[in-house]
Structure formats: C-alpha cells, structure tokens
Amino acid sequence: MPLAGELTSSLINRAADHYGLPAAGVLRLWTCRNSPARNDGGGVRADAEIVLNEAGRAVLAELCGVEPAVLAHALPAFTVDDPKISTGREAALAQARWRAAGAVAGEAAFACRSCTARRTGQTVRAVRYLPRWQRVCVRHGRWLLDADADQPLEHLDLHGLPEVAAAQRQWAGVARRAGRAAAEPGQVFALAHAVVARWWDEALHWEQEEIWPHRLHRLAGGNAGTDLQRWRIVGRDAAIFPEVVAVTQALLEPAMAELVWRDSGAGRPRPLPADGAFCRRLGERVGRGWLGPLSAVDYGGPLLTWMGAVIRQRRGEGGPPGWRDDPWRLQREQQPATMAGQLRVMAAEQQSGGSRTRWRATVSAEHRFHITQLVDEAREQLVELRGVHSGTTAEVARTLLEHLSHSAALIDQALVHTATAAVTAGVSLQEVAHWSRLPAQELASVLAAGRDED
C-alpha cells in the first residue's frame, strides 16, 4: 500500500523489498530514459523521483496489486506527465524518467519508519512529499529530515523538547488564520522561516541566547561536541521551528501590523526606530525580550522587507499591482540556504588540507566569534576617540593613551588567536610570521605561551 504523499520511486523501492528483490531488478520493468541523481559518494539520492507514462503507471499498479485510482490519490507524482518521455510509437511501452522530487511536487523528507511499519507492515525507508511545516511526527517524537542531503540521518529525536511538538499542533490553527487573512499558509511560513533562520545565523554572536544552544544539544543526543558546525546545519529547522510558528502567527495579526504602522509615523512618515514597538513585541513573542533592537536594524533582511510592504499598503503607495505590494513574497536572495546546500559547502571546504583549508571549516565557531569580539571591542575604543582633541593637554593625552593602549591590547590578543588558528589549521609558521610582521621565533614563543595558558 502506498503512503499518503509518498514518492513513486519510494513505493517502487518498497515493492522491491516486499518481493525480496533489488530495486534495480524491479526497475527493469520500465524503460528508463535517464539515470537518477547521485550523491558525491556515488549513492542514489533519496529524493530521486521517477515519472511514468500511462503504460508505466499500469505496470506499477499491477506490481503493487493496487488500483491506479488509489495510487493517483496517494502519490503526488503518479499522474505527472513528462514531455521527454516518448509519445510516438514507443508510447505503448512502460517508460520512466528520473527527476528531482523538488522539481516534481515539492520538498521531500524521510517518512517516520514506525509510522511506515504501522501503515504497511514494512520497517523500511520511505520518502514522502512533506512541506517544512509538517515535519514533526507527534506520535513518535521525531523531526523528519530533508531527503535531498548527503547525510545518514532520517530523523532527529524530539524527546525532551515538547515545545517542538506543541508548535506542530499549533500550526493547524495558524494555517486557518492565514486562510482567513487571504494569505497562502506556505508563503507566510516561508517568510517567517527566513526571518528566524537569519536570526539563527546571527545567534552565535548573541550572548543572551540560551534557548537554541540547549535545544540543539538535545537534538544532537546530549552534546553537539566538536561537530557543532554540522549539527547547526542538520538541526537548524527543528531547533527554530517553535519560533517560526510563533513569528508566523504574529505576522498574521492585524494588531502587529498596526504597530508597524505606528512605528513608521503613521500619517507623518519617519524612519523606523531601533526601539520600535513592533520589533520589541515580536522579540517578546519568541521569548527574547532583548531581541527587538537587533531585529530592527537587520537592514536588507526579510523582516524589514515585510514591514516596508505593510507600510506601503497602508499609505497606498504600492504603485501598479505587483510583487512589491505583496508582503508575503520572499525575495530569492533572502531565502535561507538549505541543509543540503550547506552540507555541500562544508564538505567542499574540508576536502583540501594545509593552507588550502577553508577558514570556517577548520576554525571553530567559538574561536571565530572570540576573534570577532576582540576586534569589535577595539573598534569601539577607537570610535570613542572622535572629537577628543579639545581640553587640557593632560586630559586629551590621558584619554588618547588609555583608549589606544586598550585597543592595542585587544588587537594583540586578536592577532595571537588568529595566528594560532592559522598554524593549527596547517599554515606554515613562516607565512603566519610574515603576515604578522613578527620574527618566526618570537611568534613561536608567543603561540607556545598561549597554549600553556590554555
């Protein structure tokens, strides 16, 4: 029996397993016009979908012992026609063509194996078309992962994270609210997801953030450890899901749109303030009262784009009908990177060794953050020196020297941390010494002293 929303290729694989045959043996029932997409490791991608012609659909129905109408109801790709499958004299042959699931019927994710066994009697891998707002298996406490990524996990364990399952239960009401607001639920979710994913990228620099680190470590089985970068990619969508649902709900509320209108000056236009009521209230809705000013200055982000569209609508300044008038349209450049895309970048960064390694792949996020923090603090000290050349000689000299010496100490620390990271990653000591304008022997002593202190 097919699963609701299952990929046609997934059903074929399960049918092969049922008969005790390799999938390749069953696929010989169709004339395949191309080959499925493969991962870098050579295996067939889990989201590789297969599209059949009319004769091919009849073969699948006979193979499964299920009426074609049942398959058409359950399989989103079953009735999809592909113009590249021959329609001439070969139309009577059972033909198939491989496609990417995302190009056929949407995002694909692994099905819950326990639910698959309960429905079909098979505890095997299955892949379904599942939008990102339906990834929680509440019955078994699992987050179902994207099937297009080259990684071994099918799900993340949500036990100990009841807020994620609670957000899934809330989503049905949020989707109904979107419908009443004449908005497409998927579009509203995509916008909120882009907003929160952008916060997630910045969260490493937020000292106040405590919720997501705890949640991510739970998703990683207790501790992400030294594999934090990969877990931040794999666990992102599950970790931020409660906040995404909360932001979706907030953006749909007329009262929140009214706050945007008031922050803009209403009838007397003014620039949006960093301490505006809307962003402050939005931060409170996601349990972070300190987030408002940070989100209010995220220029170029999807949240401010949405706020601008809301303001234009209220002022009647949208111009001719078009996407600029649609507050729910997410611009391509604002769409967050997918798990598969981020994992491919990370793998590419780790392929070369020595000085050709990628900085983000070899230097931990904590180490990068510490270097950035030192540089930012030094910059703040220097900014405070603007206009300091007025007053007595002693006052001006003291202010200049105190700030300059503090900045110099911070820069020295940043230099040592950067040099340590580079040498640890495999860059030669001579190169690092040349870039630092320090004798190699002196730099080696400084690095050794730093290791001893650590």
Side-chain angles (χ1 to χ4, degrees):
M1 292 297 297
L3 297 170
E6 188 173 11
L7 271 66
T8 303
S9 59
S10 173
L11 178 60
I12 292 173
N13 288 333
R14 289 199 302 108
D17 181 80
H18 177 77
Y19 287 112
L21 297 171
V26 173
L27 286 169
R28 292 194 183 98
L29 295 172
W30 294 273
T31 300
C32 292
R33 294 300 181 183
N34 61 344
S35 299
R38 296 183 177 273
N39 295 314
D40 293 338
V44 176
R45 278 177 43 165
D47 70 327
E49 177 63 296
I50 198 165
V51 177
L52 309 173
N53 67 349
E54 191 65 34
R57 294 166 194 154
V59 169
L60 180 59
E62 183 178 358
L63 176 71
C64 297
V66 178
E67 290 295 323
V70 175
L71 295 180
H73 180 72
L75 307 179
F78 186 72
T79 57
V80 172
D81 292 315
D82 192 308
K84 294 188 177 181
I85 295 179
S86 176
T87 57
R89 288 180 298 177
E90 297 180 342
L93 300 176
Q95 299 177 70
R97 188 167 184 271
W98 290 98
R99 300 268 300 275
V104 177
E107 300 171 335
F110 294 105
C112 173
R113 290 205 181 207
S114 298
C115 290
T116 301
R118 187 168 176 268
R119 173 79 173 89
T120 68
Q122 291 177 282
T123 309
V124 296
R125 189 183 81 176
V127 183
R128 298 172 59 199
Y129 288 102
L130 279 177
R132 210 163 297 277
W133 56 84
Q134 293 180 353
R135 295 297 179 85
V136 179
C137 175
V138 177
R139 179 187 294 272
H140 299 106
R142 294 172 176 174
W143 177 271
L144 307 176
L145 289 168
D146 293 346
D148 62 344
D150 188 7
Q151 57 89 35
L153 298 176
E154 295 182 14
H155 71 267
L156 299 177
D157 190 348
L158 297 178
H159 290 100
L161 296 174
E163 66 270 28
V164 181
Q168 182 67 85
R169 287 189 286 267
Q170 290 174 343
W171 170 251
V174 177
R176 287 193 295 270
R177 173 172 288 184
R180 291 194 295 269
E184 172 61 38
Q187 276 191 305
V188 183
F189 182 90
L191 177 66
H193 181 263
V195 170
V196 182
R198 196 171 174 100
W199 292 345
W200 172 265
D201 291 339
E202 298 295 328
L204 282 174
H205 305 285
W206 296 344
E207 295 181 3
Q208 306 97 317
E209 180 56 53
E210 298 178 352
I211 299 173
W212 281 339
H214 165 75
R215 204 177 284 165
L216 183 62
H217 286 304
R218 293 300 296 264
L219 290 169
N223 190 352
T226 58
D227 207 11
L228 179 63
Q229 183 180 0
R230 187 181 73 86
W231 276 111
R232 276 185 57 80
I233 295 172
V234 175
R236 180 195 68 185
D237 289 345
I240 69 176
F241 186 64
E243 287 77 14
V244 173
V245 174
V247 170
T248 305
Q249 187 171 19
L251 297 184
L252 287 167
E253 294 179 5
M256 294 294 283
E258 181 65 25
L259 291 180
V260 175
W261 176 241
R262 293 178 185 174
D263 287 341
S264 71
R268 304 177 66 180
R270 67 180 182 187
L272 290 169
D275 60 346
F278 169 78
C279 288
R280 184 172 63 252
R281 185 73 56 82
L282 187 63
E284 294 170 354
R285 295 286 290 268
V286 295
R288 296 163 176 82
W290 45 265
L291 181 57
L294 295 176
S295 59
V297 296
D298 184 18
Y299 305 113
L303 183 61
L304 290 188
T305 300
W306 177 85
M307 295 169 68
V310 170
I311 294 167
R312 286 194 301 273
Q313 282 188 339
R314 289 291 295 268
R315 289 179 181 160
E317 296 177 355
W323 66 265
R324 283 178 56 83
D325 298 320
D326 184 2
W328 308 116
R329 182 187 183 277
L330 181 62
Q331 299 177 25
R332 182 182 297 273
E333 61 271 18
Q334 294 175 342
Q335 295 174 2
T338 64
M339 178 176 71
Q342 292 181 86
L343 288 176
R344 281 194 294 269
V345 170
M346 189 177 75
E349 290 177 341
Q350 293 174 337
Q351 281 182 350
S352 56
S355 61
R356 294 185 62 81
T357 55
R358 305 291 293 185
W359 178 260
R360 292 177 62 87
T362 54
V363 182
S364 69
E366 292 85 352
H367 203 163
R368 298 197 308 269
F369 171 69
H370 188 47
I371 294 171
T372 302
Q373 192 175 41
L374 289 170
V375 174
D376 288 344
E377 290 180 14
R379 183 185 298 113
E380 290 175 4
Q381 291 291 320
L382 296 174
V383 168
E384 292 181 10
L385 295 178
R386 291 177 179 172
V388 76
H389 298 282
S390 60
T392 67
T393 303
E395 291 173 343
V396 174
R398 185 188 64 184
T399 303
L400 282 169
L401 292 174
E402 286 180 351
H403 282 73
L404 289 172
S405 62
H406 190 191
S407 299
L410 293 169
I411 291 297
D412 284 344
Q413 292 180 51
L415 185 148
V416 172
H417 280 285
T418 304
T420 301
V423 172
T424 303
V427 182
S428 70
L429 181 65
Q430 288 71 23
E431 283 186 297
V432 175
H434 175 69
W435 299 331
S436 306
R437 298 185 180 181
L438 291 173
Q441 187 173 359
E442 180 181 341
L443 179 61
S445 300
V446 172
L447 298 183
R451 293 192 186 96
D452 291 341
E453 290 179 5
D454 292 338

